[in-house]
Structures are given as structure tokens and as C-alpha cells.
Amino acid sequence: MQPIDAKCPNCGETRLAKFYECTSVPAHSVLLFETKQEAIDFPTGDVSLAFCSACQFITNTAFDQALEQYGAGYEATQSFSPTFNAFHRQLAADLIDRYDLHGKSIIEIGCGQGEFLHLLCEMGDNHGIGFDPAYLPERASDLSSDRYQVIADYYSEKYADRSGDFVCCKQTLEHIPDTANFVQIVRRAIGDDVNTTVFFQVPDITRILHEIAFWDIYYEHCSYFSGPSLHHLFDRNGFDVVASRLEYGEQYLMIECKPTNGVRTTKAPAPTQAVADDVRFFADHYEKRLAYWRSMLHELANAGRRAVLWGGGSKAVAFLTSLKIGAEIDYAVDINPHKHGTFLAGSGHRVLGPDALKEYPPDLVIVMNPIYIEEVASAIRELGVQTDLKPVTAFS
Ligand SMILES: [Zn+2]
């Protein structure tokens, strides 16, 4: 932990503590590359994480927005996983029920291909507008609905005239460096309509710190939250926090807010030392964790055994580029057919479909997201492939 002079974009504090660094990581980890060379040559940036003890926020102080591009080829959808789809559906049903979302107008910021917006609109008889610069109309054809439209652009001040009864933003705020400024834009767009409900979902850093999950730290995530920092952000920018909770194997942090007109009706959480302790724990242990994986995978490769990753998304890219390994991993498997035959940013590993396990049988499959371990085990059984299976969180 090294004190640095840098401004916290979440609260304005000017003294932060740097605790993690990883240089030359791909500026995007979910872009699809048609050739290995393109994947290897993709621009890189540095990750330098710093902790704000005033609001508990974590920011990448080396982040350069100029390196980011969210357009065609950005493949972030998880909608090919039954586990994820069930969670998504349950979340939509729960929000519709608790906020009586029937015949209402919905705004979704960062809606991807519109999967969640589709659920909210169809299940609740609502209508809406989604925003996402990576939206591909041809990919959304099977979701077509006249209940909503998607604008293929970043949500910004210029759309402040589009508001709704329910404003939803999932897995997007962590990509935005200036978090306070962004929440202020959302608040201004709502104006005087204090009946609007605002729902945000972000990955929770607490689990990443506890598990020393370096594979969950990647360039396009420049902002990392835990409960207190997310609460602080909304509380200080014109919202009352109605509820916050962790879901999906404690991976996702959710917050539900109502706009205030200057008068807060809820209390900010009491200051806690817990996040600072978690940050210190991560800082003290991550090098050992990296060394464990490097040496285990080297030994496996030296013994002529094949290891593959299950999951060809950002976690795989971050795992490989943080470890700076190559041939020790043969390829990555992904169930998303749009990824098959493409290459992972930075390391240039191939992404293949599950059938590849029959053709190139592995000795070890490392499951990048442990929440899918049962799903993966059953897919491998169905293929009739004999292999060891290990969640990325296992260390022996
Ligand atoms: Zn702060």
C-alpha cells in the first residue's frame, strides 16, 4: 500500500493508496479477433489500482479512456448460460413485482443486445428505451419487440430528455471512470420526478479481494465497488438508497434508489474498516497466488499434459495476461457460438466450442467462473470426456 496524490472520482478525495499493478494488459478483453496476430497486437494499457479510504472506492489511476472502444465485436453477453438466464429472469420478475412495473416506461443504460430490457418489457407489459454503443440490431432479431427501441450510443447528457419510471443500469458503471459525474447525469435527467426508481448492478470487489481473484481485474473495469462506496456514490449525488444486496454467488452488487430533492430519508452506513482490511489482504497475497498458478501450469506443461480454460471472456484474458503465460494453456472453451474460432485479446489463445474437448482432450479444465462448475461438469460428462476439473478459485 503506497500513498499517492490522485483524485478519487467517486468522492473527490485527493490522497489514495496504490495497492496493485499489472502492466501491458489488453485495453479490451471481450473483443473478438479473427486472427491470432490481431489479438496479440491489440493495444494494451496498465492497471494500477488505488484505494480511497474516504469512500472505500477503488479506481485504476492508469486508465486511459482513449484506449476504449465499445462497438461491433464487443461480446459481453452471458445469455448462452442457463444459470445466468434463470438469474436474469428471476431478477426481472422480482423488480417488476416490487416496483409494480406494469404499463411503465423503462430506461436501460448499457443494455447490451437488449436481453434484460426485453424481459422487463415483455413480462411487465412495459415499454422502454435502451442505450448501448455495442448494440447490433441483427443479433437482437430473435428478441424483436415493438415494446422498446435501442439507441446504439453511449448514454450521456444529450439523452437527458429521455427519462422513465424505472432506470436500470447493469454491469456498466464499472466501465465508467468518472462515476460521480455519471450518476449526476442520471439524476439531472430524472429532474423532479421523485417517483422514478433507479437500479444499478455492478461486480462486487469484496469477493475479488477475498479470493485474490486477479482474473476479475481487467482494463475496461476502471471502477471497483463494494457496498459502502456504491452507497456513498448515490447518497452524495441526489438519491435515497432504498435497498442494496449481493446476488449471483455474491458476485453482483445491486442498489435500488429513489431521487431526493435535497432531503435524505435514509441513513448512510456507518464507516467501516472492513474494505481497507480486504484491500490490504489482497495486496499482501496476490503475488503468491500468481506464483502458484505459474508454477502449477509450467509443471503440467513440462509433463506433456494439456490444460484448457472453460470460459473465453474477460476472466480468461485477465488470467492469461496477468500470469503472462502462453503455451501452458492450450485453448479456451466457450458455449457462446459467436466466439468459436476467434482469439483472445493479448495472449492470442483460440476459443473453441465444447466439442473441441473430444478432438483435443485435456487433462485439466480450469473453470473461469466457479458458479458454472456444475453446468460445466455436466456438459463434459455428456461429451464423454474424462478430465480433471478445477475452479479457478482452487489452490491445491
Ligand atoms: Zn473516494
Side-chain angles (χ1 to χ4, degrees):
M1 306 275 280
Q2 178 200 348
I4 55 166
D5 292 321
K7 191 177 167 193
C8 171
N10 210 52
C11 78
E13 171 67 37
T14 53
R15 194 84 167 142
L16 306 179
K18 177 177 155 184
F19 69 95
Y20 175 73
E21 195 163 47
C22 188
T23 56
S24 302
V25 299
H28 259 302
S29 51
V30 290
L31 283 177
L32 301 176
F33 296 94
E34 298 300 321
T35 69
K36 186 181 173 104
Q37 201 55 45
E38 262 183 289
I40 290 172
D41 291 343
F42 192 71
T44 61
D46 297 335
V47 172
S48 182
L49 295 187
F51 173 65
C52 172
S53 58
C55 77
Q56 325 279 295
F57 184 63
I58 290 166
T59 177
N60 176 11
T61 57
F63 183 74
D64 175 4
Q65 189 139 39
L67 285 173
E68 293 298 88
Q69 43 166 319
Y70 294 98
Y74 183 82
E75 184 66 44
T77 186
Q78 289 177 286
S79 62
F80 294 95
S81 160
T83 309
F84 184 77
N85 287 343
F87 162 72
H88 230 186
R89 223 183 155 75
Q90 181 57 46
L91 178 61
D94 179 52
L95 291 169
I96 288 168
D97 182 43
R98 281 191 300 117
Y99 292 103
D100 192 23
L101 303 179
H102 298 279
K104 301 280 172 64
S105 62
I106 314 272
I107 296 278
E108 186 176 7
I109 302 168
C111 65
Q113 301 308 319
E115 296 93 342
F116 194 64
L117 186 59
H118 184 89
L119 289 176
L120 289 176
C121 290
E122 290 296 325
M123 290 164 67
D125 205 10
N126 298 302
H127 58 277
I129 304 174
F131 295 88
D132 203 305
Y135 176 69
L136 297 169
E138 64 274 21
R139 282 281 295 283
S141 56
D142 51 334
L143 288 176
S144 68
S145 166
D146 53 10
R147 292 185 181 280
Y148 63 90
Q149 57 156 313
V150 177
I151 297 173
D153 193 6
Y154 292 94
Y155 178 81
S156 67
E157 199 85 57
K158 83 174 185 205
Y159 297 111
D161 58 331
R162 320 281 177 102
S163 194
D165 300 307
F166 187 78
V167 178
C168 162
C169 180
K170 292 167 48 256
Q171 309 296 106
T172 297
L173 189 59
E174 66 275 20
H175 298 256
I176 293 166
D178 197 350
T179 52
N181 182 53
F182 185 76
V183 169
Q184 285 158 16
I185 293 174
V186 173
R187 179 65 193 89
R188 280 197 294 273
I190 292 169
D192 295 330
D193 189 1
V194 290
N195 292 318
T196 301
T197 302
V198 171
F199 171 79
F200 271 64
Q201 176 190 295
V202 291
D204 182 63
I205 186 71
T206 311
R207 179 195 55 83
I208 297 173
L209 298 173
H210 284 175
E211 291 179 354
I212 317 168
F214 60 87
W215 53 88
D216 277 325
I217 295 170
Y218 22 86
Y219 194 78
E220 58 266 65
H221 284 191
C222 49
S223 297
Y224 294 84
F225 290 94
S226 56
S229 53
L230 193 61
H231 195 119
H232 185 106
L233 175 63
F234 283 89
D235 187 61
R236 296 301 171 96
N237 291 291
F239 290 95
D240 258 347
V241 177
V242 178
S244 68
R245 64 189 184 280
L246 277 170
E247 278 190 25
Y248 207 54
E250 307 214 330
Q251 295 188 27
Y252 299 156
L253 180 61
M254 327 248 197
I255 196 163
E256 294 160 25
C257 307
K258 290 278 187 188
T260 65
N261 284 327
V263 184
R264 277 191 228 147
T265 58
T266 57
K267 257 175 42 184
T272 164
Q273 182 61 26
V275 188
D277 290 345
D278 292 342
V279 168
R280 185 168 295 282
F281 174 78
F282 181 95
D284 289 347
H285 292 88
Y286 78 84
E287 279 170 354
K288 205 171 143 197
R289 200 54 56 95
L290 288 166
Y292 162 82
W293 276 110
R294 276 194 203 110
S295 92
M296 195 274 273
L297 292 168
H298 275 307
E299 276 174 34
L300 209 63
N302 287 342
R305 291 158 69 84
R306 175 180 271 151
V308 306
L309 304 182
W310 187 288
S314 352
K315 288 171 190 283
V317 169
F319 183 78
L320 294 163
T321 55
S322 305
L323 291 172
K324 316 264 184 243
I325 57 170
E328 293 88 342
I329 295 290
D330 202 3
Y331 56 92
V333 174
D334 204 286
I335 54 174
N336 178 348
H338 298 291
K339 292 186 181 177
H340 300 165
T342 64
F343 295 84
L344 294 178
S347 70
H349 284 78
R350 290 177 301 169
V351 182
L352 302 171
D355 279 348
L357 296 177
K358 286 194 288 191
E359 200 174 337
Y360 313 107
D363 300 288
L364 172 66
V365 175
I366 302 167
V367 180
M368 293 313 300
N369 193 339
I371 202 164
Y372 298 138
I373 195 104
E374 289 309 321
E375 194 176 310
V376 175
S378 108
I380 290 176
R381 265 196 308 275
E382 271 175 38
L383 288 166
V385 172
Q386 295 287 324
T387 176
D388 284 346
L389 196 62
K390 205 176 173 66
V392 70
T393 41
F395 296 102
S396 58

